[in-house]
Amino acid sequence: MTLYESNSRLSTMGRRRNSRPDLASASLRNDVFVGGNGFHGDYQGGDAVHYSSFSKTSMQGGGATKGTSKGGAGGGGGFSPQAIYQKGLFLTGQCEEYLQRAKMILQSGGPAGEADKLLNMSAESMEQMMVCGGELQQMRIPNDIFRSVDQFQQMHAALLQQLGSMTIIHDGGRIYNDAMAWIAQQKRMIETAAWGDDSEAIEKQIQSHNKNHSSVQRSQEVDRARDELNMRGDKYNLSMLEQEWESLQTMSDSRVHQLRALQGIINEISRAIMWVNEKEEEELMFDWGDKNIDQYIPRKQESYSGLMRDLEEKEKELNKLKVKADGLLNNNHPASDKIDAYMDTLQTQWSWLLQITKCIDIHLKDNAAYSQFFKEANETYAKLQREHESIRNKFTCDKNTPLDNLTELLRNLERDKERVMENKRQVQSLVNKSKTIVRLKPRNPEEKSSSPVMVQAICDFKQDQIGILKGNKGILKDNSQRSKWLVTGPGGMDMLIPSVCLKIPPPNPLSIGLANKNEQYYGAIMSIWNQLYINIKSLISWQYCLKDMNYISSLTVSMLSKMRPDEYRSIIKRLETHYQEFLRTSQGSEMFGEDEKKTIQGHFDKAQKHYDILIFQLPDYTNEGVKPEPPKPKPASPTITQTDIKETSQAPPASSTLSLTLLSSLQELRRRLELAESGLTSHLHVPLGDNSVHECSLHIQNLQTVHQDLDSIHDEYLRLREKIIKQLDGIPADSEQARFLRSELEIINQKLGGLQGLYPAYHQRLSALQALLQSLLQAEDIIKVHEARLTEKDTTSLDLREVENYQSTLKQMKRDLDQKRDLLTAMDSDLAKAVHWNGHISESFHKCDGDLSKYSDLVGQMSDRWHRIQTQIDSRVWDLEKQEKQLNHYQQSSTLLQQWIDNARKRQDALQTVKLSDIQTLMDHLNQQKARLSLFTP
């Protein structure tokens, strides 16, 4: 009877509509259930007999098992001459053994039936020897098999003759022969009786056999033969009858015991299969969609931990069950095929459940990341909305806003930028995370998609010779059933796959869209901040210009005469500086249109002209105010006064000399301006390294030196300008000399104003770059330290104290990172400042865009590494918390077990010290020992 003929009901026990298909072959066996977490069994195809274990990590694709092949059916091809020769030798020895045993039975007067059986077996061996001898003869290989067969045939014939004479001598008669035939028939019925497929069928077989057993014990044929043999005094045949009768009784009793054992093991295996199927059913029906995800994730994590604990306990029970089943198999139970089939089904379902637990773990991590992402993204969006409203409402200004209020607004705006910049890292982190978020909405059957939905297998699955491997992708065709989805696999074949085995991989349009929305919102807020910054700066510079122009308009010659030259020169210098600042900051400002800018330029020119007039009138006013009496001419004196210069300005020698001096001064001034321009606008390149901060400091020092030179050049320009104005007083305005001097003054004034306007942008850019480099170096040091600390330990300990200590270390590392989190914000802020001020530099001058792009990449890399460290720490803490729970559970269980063992040992030692003085004491001692032994027996 084959396994398939005797396994009619196993399919109803092992598989249901939501269960995976049976991947184990009919010959798959489980040799040992090994505890622990070692990889002891993965599925392997073929017809060989395999051995595997019940272990939570002993499964691969599809839930079937794989193990070391212990043997298998050979297939195909002919035997080698050596194999045929070896087979012939084996058959020769076997035939000789059968004949010798038959000879010994006949000589000792043993049962003739046993001798006849041995003679028949020897005849079969001789037939096989003839086949081997013929094959060797065809191969032209010499052998003595035929000679051995001749000898065995002669011996066989002699033994047959001796057996025939014994049968004639010991003929027991018809009644005896009928009884023996009846016993033989009963034996054949027992040997060929079927074995039930389930507990109910086996129970019916037990009841039926009990009835047959009762009829066997009251057999009339045996009783009549026994009476007749007693009357005849035929002790030999009576002895043969009693032996066959006892053999029948033993076989019948054995049949009952075997049925009971089979019923017991099938009941236990069936209960285990039902337990596994219940757990499987529960997990297959779970909805991993996005509905109530924030509520079900914590509950599912807790239930998953409970499931793993239950599997730990169940694994121990299954190992005991495996040992029990192997005992029946090793004792050659007649229904070994049934036990094998049930154990194969249990092993398959167990491995499939373990496969599902791996899928659950993946879903938990993916869905937890999904929930956390959308929670953080929504919180970030709400925070950006608050920042937007705060900036809009808090920083309002116009041309009527006082200068002090504008200055305070500017300080507050710069302070708020630091807070707004803190969101940049979170926004960028969400953008990176959004690309790894799975899709959950398409898991809902009510969710309709206009494009095909791709799914990805997270474990191997096989059904009806078609399957999908872990990592393979397919197209979702129908997910109306929660537990099973219709999927078109890689080969274009449609198959039903449990939904727990599938995930809908990234990209997720919802997460990417929300992250981009946050990024755009953040960019909009920064644009608003920049616009507000430009508006306030332009208003401040405008206020300063108005203040300076009003002050200059209020000046008189008498007021200037009371000032030192450097004092009134600083007035016009301050106006020019503020006006250049206004020209620069008003670009892109919403506060000033082009017409207003032209009006302000007119006021500036008017104030400048008023100042020039005052400067021109100042010498005459000074001479008139300081001389108590008219001056007395001193022809012999070489000193030339201002009046003398005016009176003799028409003299060609003096005018020519003065013009040459002014031209020489103008050329020197232009040369100094060119040197300052080259020093100010030189190409900036600060490579990132250990000395980068120092190099940046040197650049700043050089820039400050250039700024001091520009101040000195401006003072010299004002002095030279006064001289040229005086010189032009006696020269016609349309003369070539006057036009040339005025054009030279205008060129120098514009270039000087432009360079002075560039200095703040250059200085601010260098300062921000220096701070950025300092932050990058500090961040890299912190990251390297934490990366090194994480790589120091890549495995966990089984010691609970070490696990707790390492968990505390990780939490402390996370706190340290959180405390130094401002460093990331500072990097982003410094980079934004450097980019901002770099944008204020004219396109005609050198920039450092290339370097800033490198620094931007470095900032992104540092942020990513920082984020990866935090993710790694969070992941390790989460894993350690689960391990800590398992270790605590194990420690509590082991403590209770150790206490029980210690108490049992003490009681056992106390029992062994008892002195046995009489029979009653001995009996009490034995009873106590039996009770103690029952405690150790599971």
Side-chain angles (χ1 to χ4, degrees):
M1 182 181 299
T2 64
L3 172 64
Y4 300 102
E5 293 169 351
S6 61
N7 195 17
S8 60
R9 297 191 60 190
L10 289 186
S11 59
T12 61
M13 291 295 298
R15 297 187 295 274
R16 304 167 323 287
R17 59 182 179 85
N18 288 324
S19 176
R20 60 170 303 285
D22 187 7
L23 301 184
S25 63
S27 59
L28 185 66
R29 289 189 51 207
N30 301 290
D31 187 54
V32 160
F33 286 71
V34 180
N37 293 325
F39 286 89
H40 291 288
D42 297 328
Y43 178 71
Q44 173 177 308
D47 295 330
V49 178
H50 300 280
Y51 298 86
S52 61
S53 62
F54 279 104
S55 173
K56 290 200 300 303
T57 54
S58 63
M59 48 79 182
Q60 292 291 335
T65 58
K66 164 186 164 185
T68 304
S69 177
K70 297 297 184 181
F79 291 99
S80 64
Q82 184 179 3
I84 298 174
Y85 186 77
Q86 293 292 335
K87 182 179 179 182
L89 292 179
F90 173 75
L91 292 172
T92 301
Q94 190 181 59
C95 183
E96 184 178 5
E97 181 184 358
Y98 291 155
L99 292 173
Q100 291 295 335
R101 288 172 59 189
K103 182 179 179 180
M104 292 177 61
I105 291 173
L106 293 176
Q107 288 178 354
S108 61
E114 184 68 22
D116 183 60
K117 184 177 179 181
L118 291 171
L119 289 175
N120 291 334
M121 293 168 65
S122 66
E124 293 178 358
S125 297
M126 284 187 283
E127 290 178 3
Q128 296 182 27
M129 288 173 64
M130 294 290 288
V131 174
C132 292
E135 292 180 354
L136 291 174
Q137 197 172 34
Q138 289 179 0
M139 297 178 185
R140 301 180 182 277
I141 297 176
N143 62 88
D144 55 354
I145 293 180
F146 289 110
R147 185 173 57 185
S148 299
V149 170
D150 292 338
Q151 294 175 1
F152 291 153
Q153 286 177 348
Q154 294 175 7
M155 187 176 180
H156 183 269
L159 292 175
L160 277 178
Q161 184 178 3
Q162 186 178 355
L163 177 63
S165 62
M166 286 183 61
T167 304
I168 295 172
I169 295 172
H170 298 290
D171 185 11
R174 183 182 60 81
I175 297 177
Y176 168 79
N177 292 333
D178 291 343
M180 294 295 283
W182 181 85
I183 292 174
Q185 180 184 9
Q186 294 298 319
K187 286 184 177 180
R188 283 194 299 272
M189 290 175 61
I190 294 175
E191 289 175 350
T192 59
W195 300 90
D197 294 325
D198 54 30
S199 179
E200 294 179 0
I202 295 173
E203 183 62 31
K204 292 179 180 179
Q205 289 177 346
I206 292 174
Q207 295 175 3
S208 175
H209 185 75
N210 286 335
K211 295 178 181 179
N212 293 336
H213 186 69
S214 300
S215 64
V216 166
Q217 291 178 340
R218 297 189 298 270
S219 173
Q220 296 179 0
E221 291 84 351
V222 176
D223 292 340
R224 285 198 301 268
R226 186 184 293 116
D227 294 340
E228 182 180 349
L229 292 174
N230 284 328
M231 289 173 60
R232 289 167 51 184
D234 190 350
K235 295 182 179 180
Y236 175 79
N237 286 325
L238 181 60
S239 174
M240 294 295 295
L241 180 63
E242 293 296 338
Q243 288 180 6
E244 290 298 318
W245 172 252
E246 292 295 333
S247 176
L248 177 59
Q249 294 286 337
T250 302
M251 186 178 292
S252 180
D253 292 336
S254 177
R255 166 76 176 176
V256 174
H257 293 312
Q258 289 169 349
L259 284 171
R260 292 294 183 189
L262 178 62
Q263 186 183 36
I265 195 68
I266 285 181
N267 282 336
E268 292 187 43
I269 298 175
S270 298
R271 286 194 296 271
I273 291 175
M274 291 174 62
W275 184 89
V276 173
N277 288 344
E278 288 175 0
K279 298 296 181 181
E280 175 191 341
E281 184 77 19
E282 179 182 350
E283 300 304 334
L284 288 176
M285 294 302 296
F286 188 79
D287 183 11
W288 290 102
D290 64 330
K291 292 183 178 179
N292 302 320
I293 187 172
D294 295 334
Q295 287 76 31
Y296 78 67
I297 284 294
R299 294 198 300 267
K300 191 61 181 176
Q301 287 174 343
E302 186 64 28
S303 66
Y304 176 70
S305 300
L307 175 61
M308 298 307 292
R309 289 194 297 270
D310 294 342
L311 291 177
E312 290 278 357
E313 297 298 327
K314 198 65 179 179
E315 184 181 346
K316 299 175 184 178
E317 298 178 11
L318 295 183
N319 285 331
K320 295 177 182 179
L321 179 59
K322 183 66 175 62
V323 172
K324 188 174 182 179
D326 286 345
L328 295 175
L329 296 175
N330 294 333
N331 291 331
N332 297 321
H333 192 284
S336 296
D337 57 342
K338 308 289 184 183
I339 301 173
D340 256 338
Y342 269 89
M343 291 303 294
D344 289 344
T345 302
L346 176 58
Q347 176 69 55
T348 301
Q349 294 302 109
W350 173 260
S351 298
W352 173 235
L353 180 59
L354 296 183
Q355 189 82 292
I356 290 175
T357 59
K358 287 191 173 182
C359 297
I360 294 172
D361 185 57
I362 294 174
H363 283 302
L364 278 175
K365 291 180 180 179
D366 288 344
N367 289 25
Y370 181 99
S371 174
Q372 184 66 23
F373 171 82
F374 280 97
K375 186 184 299 182
E376 292 179 0
N378 291 326
E379 290 176 354
T380 302
Y381 187 77
K383 185 177 179 182
L384 291 175
Q385 284 182 320
R386 291 192 297 271
E387 295 288 353
H388 182 210
E389 293 298 327
S390 174
I391 291 176
R392 280 289 190 188
N393 299 329
K394 186 176 179 181
F395 301 101
T396 57
C397 59
D398 53 23
K399 294 177 182 177
N400 298 323
T401 305
L403 180 62
D404 293 339
N405 293 351
L406 290 173
T407 305
E408 182 66 22
L409 281 176
L410 184 64
R411 282 196 297 267
N412 293 335
L413 187 63
E414 291 177 345
R415 193 180 303 116
D416 279 10
K417 184 181 181 181
E418 301 293 333
R419 190 181 71 254
V420 175
M421 288 291 293
E422 292 179 359
N423 298 313
K424 181 179 180 180
R425 188 183 65 84
Q426 177 67 10
V427 169
Q428 190 60 44
S429 175
L430 290 174
V431 171
N432 296 333
K433 284 182 181 179
S434 67
K435 302 172 184 177
T436 63
I437 300 301
V438 298
R439 301 175 64 188
L440 296 184
K441 284 190 176 297
R443 300 186 76 94
N444 185 1
E446 300 173 358
E447 187 75 19
K448 302 301 180 183
S449 176
S450 57
S451 59
V453 177
M454 300 298 297
V455 294
Q456 184 177 18
I458 55 180
C459 70
D460 297 344
F461 180 81
K462 185 178 180 182
Q463 180 184 34
D464 298 334
Q465 304 305 318
I466 58 175
I468 189 169
L469 300 178
K470 181 180 180 181
N472 287 352
K473 292 185 178 181
I475 300 175
L476 178 62
K477 297 187 68 175
D478 183 12
N479 63 341
S480 56
Q481 299 183 49
R482 178 180 295 180
S483 60
K484 303 186 82 172
W485 290 353
L486 180 62
V487 174
T488 302
M493 301 293 292
D494 291 345
M495 65 184 77
L496 281 174
I497 302 177
S499 60
V500 73
C501 302
L502 301 170
K503 71 175 182 179
I504 305 177
N508 187 338
L510 294 178
S511 62
I512 293 176
L514 184 55
N516 292 338
K517 182 180 179 182
N518 283 340
E519 188 177 30
Q520 293 171 2
Y521 202 174
Y522 173 78
I525 292 175
M526 291 305 300
S527 298
I528 293 172
W529 186 94
N530 289 330
Q531 187 62 57
L532 288 173
Y533 184 83
I534 292 173
N535 292 345
I536 295 176
K537 287 283 288 184
S538 64
L539 285 174
I540 290 175
S541 60
W542 176 70
Q543 292 269 20
Y544 277 120
C545 282
L546 288 182
K547 185 177 180 181
D548 292 339
M549 287 186 291
N550 291 333
Y551 181 65
I552 291 175
S553 298
S554 65
L555 289 175
T556 61
V557 177
S558 62
M559 295 173 65
L560 251 65
S561 65
K562 299 177 183 178
M563 299 181 184
R564 298 190 305 272
D566 57 339
E567 290 183 19
Y568 58 75
R569 286 170 186 160
S570 64
I571 295 172
I572 192 65
K573 179 181 178 181
R574 186 165 58 248
L575 172 62
E576 292 174 350
T577 301
H578 288 156
Y579 181 68
Q580 291 296 330
E581 177 71 14
F582 170 76
L583 292 179
R584 184 176 59 82
T585 57
S586 63
Q587 295 178 3
S589 174
E590 296 175 340
M591 299 289 106
F592 300 96
E594 292 299 326
D595 294 339
E596 292 175 308
K597 291 180 183 179
K598 291 180 181 179
T599 302
I600 295 171
Q601 183 178 4
H603 293 326
F604 171 75
D605 294 339
K606 184 177 180 181
Q608 209 174 31
K609 186 176 181 180
H610 178 69
Y611 177 81
D612 292 341
I613 294 173
L614 293 178
I615 292 297
F616 179 75
Q617 296 175 353
L618 183 61
D620 294 338
Y621 181 83
T622 302
N623 293 334
E624 293 174 0
V626 298
K627 290 182 179 180
E629 55 185 19
K632 296 179 180 180
K634 298 179 179 179
S637 174
T639 304
I640 301 176
T641 64
Q642 296 290 341
T643 305
D644 296 334
I645 292 173
K646 184 176 181 181
E647 292 175 352
T648 60
S649 60
Q650 302 298 328
S655 177
S656 176
T657 303
L658 185 59
S659 297
L660 290 175
T661 304
L662 293 177
L663 290 175
S664 177
S665 300
L666 285 172
Q667 290 177 355
E668 177 64 20
L669 202 61
R670 292 190 65 172
R671 186 187 66 80
R672 291 178 62 187
L673 274 176
E674 290 173 355
L675 291 176
E677 181 181 3
S678 64
L680 182 65
T681 62
S682 61
H683 180 64
L684 178 63
H685 177 67
V686 183
L688 182 63
D690 295 336
N691 297 325
S692 57
V693 178
H694 177 66
E695 291 183 11
C696 206
S697 300
L698 294 179
H699 281 291
I700 292 176
Q701 292 176 4
N702 295 334
L703 190 64
Q704 290 173 346
T705 302
V706 172
H707 185 249
Q708 293 173 0
D709 292 341
L710 286 175
D711 289 340
S712 174
I713 291 171
H714 190 269
D715 294 339
E716 181 65 25
Y717 163 73
L718 292 177
R719 287 192 293 271
L720 185 61
R721 183 168 171 270
E722 293 176 6
K723 292 180 180 180
I724 291 175
I725 290 174
K726 294 175 183 177
Q727 174 72 15
L728 294 178
D729 183 56
I731 300 176
D734 57 349
S735 65
E736 183 178 355
Q737 184 180 13
R739 289 198 304 271
F740 174 76
L741 290 175
R742 287 194 182 95
S743 65
E744 285 294 313
L745 284 176
E746 183 66 24
I747 292 172
I748 293 174
N749 184 39
Q750 290 180 357
K751 181 171 289 189
L752 183 60
L755 294 178
Q756 286 180 326
L758 282 176
Y759 170 76
Y762 273 90
H763 185 270
Q764 292 288 347
R765 183 183 68 173
L766 275 174
S767 299
L769 193 58
Q770 183 183 27
L772 174 63
L773 293 172
Q774 184 69 36
S775 301
L776 280 172
L777 293 176
Q778 293 177 359
E780 188 174 18
D781 292 340
I782 294 172
I783 289 172
K784 285 182 177 179
V785 169
H786 285 79
E787 286 177 342
R789 293 181 66 183
L790 286 175
T791 54
E792 287 175 357
K793 194 175 184 65
D794 55 359
T795 57
T796 59
S797 173
L798 296 179
D799 187 355
L800 183 60
R801 182 172 298 177
E802 291 186 12
V803 170
E804 292 175 349
N805 292 338
Y806 188 53
Q807 193 173 356
S808 301
T809 302
L810 289 173
K811 290 181 179 179
Q812 182 60 42
M813 290 172 62
K814 183 172 176 57
R815 284 193 294 270
D816 294 342
L817 285 175
D818 291 338
Q819 291 175 359
K820 298 173 182 177
R821 187 177 175 181
D822 295 339
L823 193 59
L824 292 179
T825 306
M827 281 196 306
D828 295 334
S829 176
D830 295 334
L831 178 62
K833 287 180 181 178
V835 173
H836 172 75
W837 288 109
N838 194 61
H840 281 71
I841 299 174
S842 174
E843 294 291 340
S844 60
F845 297 104
H846 291 295
K847 294 186 179 183
C848 55
D849 296 320
D851 292 334
L852 288 179
S853 65
K854 294 179 181 179
Y855 298 145
S856 178
D857 294 340
L858 286 174
V859 170
Q861 293 173 10
M862 292 297 171
S863 299
D864 291 342
R865 290 169 65 184
W866 191 293
H867 177 67
R868 285 198 296 269
I869 291 174
Q870 288 182 319
T871 303
Q872 181 65 222
I873 291 175
D874 292 339
S875 176
R876 292 192 180 190
V877 169
W878 189 66
D879 291 338
L880 287 174
E881 287 176 351
K882 292 197 301 183
Q883 185 179 2
E884 184 181 13
K885 292 180 181 178
Q886 295 175 352
L887 288 176
N888 279 325
H889 176 70
Y890 169 77
Q891 194 174 47
Q892 294 173 1
S893 303
S894 61
T895 302
L896 295 175
L897 180 60
Q898 188 61 42
Q899 292 175 355
W900 183 86
I901 291 173
D902 293 340
N903 294 334
R905 184 180 290 111
K906 292 178 182 179
R907 288 193 291 269
Q908 182 66 19
D909 293 340
L911 288 175
Q912 291 180 352
T913 58
V914 175
K915 295 183 179 181
L916 306 176
S917 57
D918 52 16
I919 297 298
Q920 185 61 37
T921 304
L922 176 61
M923 294 302 296
D924 294 340
H925 179 70
L926 289 175
N927 292 333
Q928 292 177 359
Q929 290 283 15
K930 290 179 180 178
R932 180 62 48 211
L933 181 60
S934 65
L935 293 176
F936 288 95
T937 304

